Amino acid sequence: MEPTCPSECIYNLIPSDLKEPPQPPRYISIFKATVKDDMQKAKTAMKTMGPAKVEVPSPKDFLKKHSKEKTLPPKKKFDRNVPKKPAVPLRTDHPVMGIQSEKNFINTNAADVIMGVAKKPKPIYVDKRTGDKHDVEPSGLVPKYINKKDYGVTPEYICKRNEEIKKAQEEYDRYIQENLKKAAMKRLSNEEREAVLQGLKKNWEEVHKEFQSLSVFIDSIPKKIRKQRLEEEMKQLEHDIGVIEKHKIIYIANK
């Protein structure tokens, strides 16, 4: 803690050359007024539950006496020539009674039931144990398509497509025959094809055996290059074996 000198200390008589540095001007943003106005608007808008500005009622519009009482409609002039409603029947007046119909409703209803066509029940099916019922007609269970005239007949577009496929196959066969004649290509026999296939499989087994003999840790560039080369050779041999097994007829060009 620094020692404090009283006001009558001798050190206070020594003139001090130290001057306080001038304070730099404080930074004031040019948007201060805009931000202040926006904040004031936002605060003002939240002060009431209703609109921010409400018109003040005029002092002259005060509640007056009898202002909320219901008013009667205006009085109309009585007119005697207006037609009157029918008179109310008297106590001594009795309705006409004893009128009976000669129609036998029991026999009529019985005849309608006997002569009428019996109503057929609507076909339904149940799909669950709980008894959920559904209509049979829109379900697809009714074989109504077999009654069509064109049932079992091959559609026209399928016949047209089959003709196009047949025509394209004939053109392709013709093109192959022409190329065979031009290039004098030779067809491999089954024995030659089997020999080539067995040779490819033997080569694949040799490459696979060499691949299996690689070290577990591939920590050098030559080992990585050798592994990649063996993988490429195995992949190419597998592709060739698959092609020969897939195609029974193989042509080779005579050089």
Side-chain angles (χ1 to χ4, degrees):
M1 185 174 180
E2 296 181 358
T4 58
C5 294
S7 59
E8 297 180 357
C9 183
I10 192 171
Y11 289 103
N12 293 335
L13 301 177
I14 302 173
S16 178
D17 296 336
L18 297 176
K19 295 182 179 179
E20 295 182 1
Q23 294 286 343
R26 190 175 64 176
Y27 171 77
I28 300 175
S29 175
I30 59 175
F31 303 103
K32 181 179 178 180
T34 306
V35 173
K36 189 174 181 180
D37 293 343
D38 293 343
M39 291 182 66
Q40 191 66 24
K41 290 178 182 179
K43 288 182 178 180
T44 305
M46 302 299 176
K47 282 183 178 180
T48 60
M49 294 295 292
K53 296 181 180 180
V54 182
E55 295 183 1
V56 181
S58 176
K60 297 180 181 180
D61 298 337
F62 57 91
L63 185 61
K64 297 180 181 180
K65 188 177 181 180
H66 304 296
S67 61
K68 291 192 175 182
E69 292 181 359
K70 295 183 179 181
T71 57
L72 297 175
K75 185 182 287 188
K76 295 182 179 180
K77 187 178 180 181
F78 181 72
D79 188 6
R80 295 182 179 275
N81 298 325
V82 176
K84 298 180 180 181
K85 295 182 180 180
V88 180
L90 301 176
R91 286 174 55 188
T92 55
D93 294 343
H94 299 284
V96 180
M97 301 178 68
I99 300 176
Q100 297 181 357
S101 176
E102 297 179 356
K103 182 177 180 181
N104 192 341
F105 290 95
I106 297 176
N107 295 337
T108 304
N109 294 339
D112 293 341
V113 172
I114 294 171
M115 301 300 294
V117 181
K119 190 176 181 180
K120 295 182 179 180
K122 193 174 183 179
I124 59 175
Y125 73 96
V126 180
D127 60 350
K128 292 183 180 179
R129 289 169 48 190
T130 56
D132 295 341
K133 298 179 181 180
H134 303 279
D135 295 338
V136 177
E137 185 67 22
S139 65
L141 300 176
V142 181
K144 56 184 179 181
Y145 292 100
I146 60 175
N147 299 325
K148 289 187 175 182
K149 295 181 179 179
D150 56 351
Y151 177 76
V153 180
T154 306
E156 184 179 354
Y157 74 95
I158 295 181
C159 297
K160 186 176 180 181
R161 186 176 63 184
N162 292 338
E163 292 178 359
E164 293 177 355
I165 294 173
K166 185 177 179 181
K167 185 177 180 181
Q169 185 66 31
E170 292 176 355
E171 293 179 356
Y172 177 75
D173 295 341
R174 195 181 309 112
Y175 171 76
I176 292 296
Q177 294 296 333
E178 292 177 357
N179 288 342
L180 290 175
K181 292 179 181 179
K182 292 180 181 179
M185 298 181 71
K186 178 185 176 183
R187 177 180 174 180
L188 286 179
S189 61
N190 294 334
E191 293 78 7
E192 294 175 343
R193 174 178 171 278
E194 190 65 25
V196 173
L197 186 60
Q198 294 299 329
L200 291 174
K201 290 182 178 180
K202 185 178 180 181
N203 293 341
W204 183 87
E205 290 177 358
E206 293 177 357
V207 177
H208 185 260
K209 184 177 180 181
E210 186 178 356
F211 180 80
Q212 292 292 334
S213 63
L214 292 175
S215 61
V216 178
F217 296 100
I218 309 298
D219 52 356
S220 62
I221 296 178
K223 291 181 180 180
K224 292 181 180 179
I225 295 174
R226 186 185 179 192
K227 181 182 178 183
Q228 292 177 359
R229 178 178 59 81
L230 293 175
E231 288 177 349
E232 292 176 358
E233 291 181 3
M234 290 173 61
K235 188 175 182 181
Q236 183 63 36
L237 289 170
E238 290 174 359
H239 177 266
D240 296 340
I241 292 171
V243 170
I244 294 177
E245 288 180 346
K246 183 178 180 181
H247 300 88
K248 302 298 180 181
I249 301 174
I250 300 176
Y251 291 93
I252 58 174
N254 292 329
K255 296 184 179 179

